Amino acid sequence: MNRDNRAKIIFAVIIIILLIILGVLGIIIFRFFNSSTDVSGYKKGTSSGTSSSSGSESAKDKDGVSNPVDFSTLKKTNPEIFGWLYVPDTNIDYPLLQSRERDDYYLHSDIYGNYLYAGSLYTEVCNSTDMDDRVTVIYGHNMIDGSMFANLHKFRDTDFFNKHSKFYIYAPNRKLTYQIVSAYEYDDRHLMNTNNYFSNNKVFKEYLDFIRNPRSISSNVRKKLDHKLTTKDKIVTLSTCLDSGDGRYLLQGVLVKDESTR
């Protein structure tokens, strides 16, 4: 191969590499601006149906526990909204949805049914929307701008994990309090399908044992829980992507209080 041909090949390779880099950067920039702009509108669009969830740990009064979410207004916006998830000191303060059309509908749809790369927080039809399953998996994107479930990764920090032991789900006339059991990296298996929807006591017990002792070097585990986990417990799994995109990051919570709200 003569020098001119070699130079042409090297030049072509450099051009291809630069085009790939520009393509990747373009996708990243598109995703960032698509999510940051649209999620801002998404939050504004739902806030009219809620009061500040930052007060979600407010005390009881003689009429019972206060519910900061106006579900009657939200359901007029979208009847598929069935709950509201709030994780203190994170950006996770969003409605929960389940599509009657297909499981991944809200993967890239907002609460109005419009395309939104950031999507919404959602469950699949294998889970009931009354939050009474043994394991309920809630999915959300790990967005670059910190929206949706990106802040689950805050629980990688041991100090943050230790100082934040609860998250909350509001439903019409209910406030559900979950104690955070653990947070860790996992593979991309479908938890519900792989475990036969946790219908078997042995399988569920093994799952409870695993979330108390996850095999992940990046895991954080609550040293002391309010009670020992049993097959009578109800677990909520918050699931998002790893930064690498290869696998999942899971936050596990056990229901410790189910209160009626006014």
Side-chain angles (χ1 to χ4, degrees):
M1 182 182 295
N2 60 43
R3 183 176 300 176
D4 289 341
N5 288 337
R6 186 180 300 126
K8 289 179 180 178
I9 292 173
I10 293 173
F11 180 76
V13 170
I14 292 172
I15 292 297
I16 291 171
I17 292 173
L18 287 174
L19 288 174
I20 292 172
I21 292 172
L22 287 173
V24 171
L25 287 174
I27 291 171
I28 291 173
I29 291 170
F30 169 79
R31 289 182 177 180
F32 178 81
F33 285 104
N34 180 275
S35 65
S36 60
T37 301
D38 288 341
V39 169
S40 174
Y42 173 97
K43 296 285 281 186
K44 290 177 182 177
T46 58
S47 63
S48 62
T50 67
S51 61
S52 175
S53 291
S54 62
S56 64
E57 297 182 67
S58 58
K60 296 180 182 179
D61 61 24
K62 64 180 181 180
D63 297 319
V65 177
S66 176
N67 192 327
V69 184
D70 182 355
F71 281 101
S72 62
T73 301
L74 285 173
K75 284 183 174 293
K76 289 177 183 176
T77 301
N78 187 338
E80 293 185 334
I81 295 172
F82 68 89
W84 190 285
L85 173 65
Y86 170 61
V87 183
D89 293 329
T90 73
N91 292 337
I92 302 170
D93 194 5
Y94 295 105
L96 301 174
L97 299 100
Q98 184 178 106
S99 173
R100 299 166 188 166
E101 182 176 331
R102 66 177 191 274
D103 276 340
D104 66 350
Y105 180 82
Y106 289 107
L107 183 67
H108 295 302
S109 295
D110 65 13
I111 64 169
Y112 308 105
N114 300 318
Y115 175 81
L116 176 65
Y117 183 81
S120 303
L121 303 188
Y122 68 95
T123 62
E124 298 178 330
V125 293
C126 59
N127 279 132
S128 64
T129 56
D130 60 11
M131 303 304 298
D132 285 337
D133 291 331
R134 281 179 159 178
V135 177
T136 298
V137 182
I138 300 174
Y139 299 94
H141 280 299
N142 176 20
M143 297 303 296
I144 294 172
D145 69 345
S147 63
M148 296 302 147
F149 267 175
N151 277 187
L152 286 185
H153 290 276
K154 282 190 169 187
F155 288 89
R156 290 178 177 276
D157 181 84
T158 301
D159 287 340
F160 186 89
F161 179 90
N162 290 336
K163 292 176 181 177
H164 297 81
S165 63
K166 301 287 198 312
F167 65 81
Y168 306 88
I169 292 177
Y170 287 92
N173 306 313
R174 292 173 77 191
K175 175 187 177 183
L176 306 174
T177 301
Y178 294 84
Q179 185 174 28
I180 296 170
V181 178
S182 56
Y184 54 88
E185 293 184 5
Y186 196 65
D187 57 41
D188 59 1
R189 282 177 291 174
H190 190 282
L191 285 174
M192 300 300 291
N193 290 342
T194 302
N195 293 285
N196 196 28
Y197 307 101
F198 300 98
S199 58
N200 181 280
N201 281 340
K202 182 176 181 294
V203 171
F204 186 40
K205 176 64 166 58
E206 289 173 351
Y207 187 71
L208 295 176
D209 291 341
F210 183 85
I211 69 176
R212 288 293 287 141
N213 300 279
R215 292 184 290 274
S216 170
I217 58 174
S218 64
S219 64
N220 278 311
V221 179
R222 188 80 46 206
K223 293 181 180 178
K224 186 177 180 180
L225 296 177
D226 290 350
H227 65 268
K228 184 178 179 179
L229 299 184
T230 73
T231 54
K232 294 182 180 179
D233 280 311
K234 294 180 175 63
I235 303 296
V236 162
T237 301
L238 309 184
S239 176
T240 195
C241 290
L242 299 178
D243 291 337
S244 65
D246 184 20
R248 311 293 296 176
Y249 190 72
L250 306 180
L251 184 74
Q252 303 283 3
V254 58
L255 181 65
V256 292
K257 190 181 292 185
D258 185 347
E259 301 170 280
S260 296
T261 61
R262 57 180 173 81

